[in-house]
Amino acid sequence: MPEPGRIPVPLRLCRGCRRFVRIENELCDFCGGDLAALEAEHAAGIAELRAATEALRAAMARFKAAAGDS
């Protein structure tokens, strides 16, 4: 816990080792990963998951509509 009145150091999550490092770091202090590259890779993975989820929702809606027509 920081001392009262003291502003804590801004941190960000390393997507490689899931530890927090100073926000101004370019490389993780723990795993040595390139923080910007790891964040970009994470964002791309999230976008892929969202697209797959949306495709699954659409397929389920089509299945439900087809099952209701029977």
Side-chain angles (χ1 to χ4, degrees):
M1 195 68 134
E3 297 173 22
R6 184 169 175 225
I7 298 173
V9 176
L11 302 173
R12 70 179 181 178
L13 181 64
C14 171
R15 298 294 183 173
C17 67
R18 316 252 327 136
R19 292 185 179 184
F20 287 95
V21 296
R22 291 178 183 263
I23 199 163
E24 68 270 5
N25 287 16
E26 291 182 21
L27 300 176
C28 177
D29 294 330
F30 303 99
C31 70
D34 180 323
L35 295 170
L38 290 167
E39 186 62 37
E41 185 178 320
H42 176 75
I46 294 295
E48 187 177 327
L49 288 172
R50 286 188 177 144
T53 301
E54 198 53 44
L56 180 59
R57 283 186 181 145
M60 290 173 63
R62 287 191 305 271
F63 178 76
K64 184 177 178 182
D69 291 344
S70 299

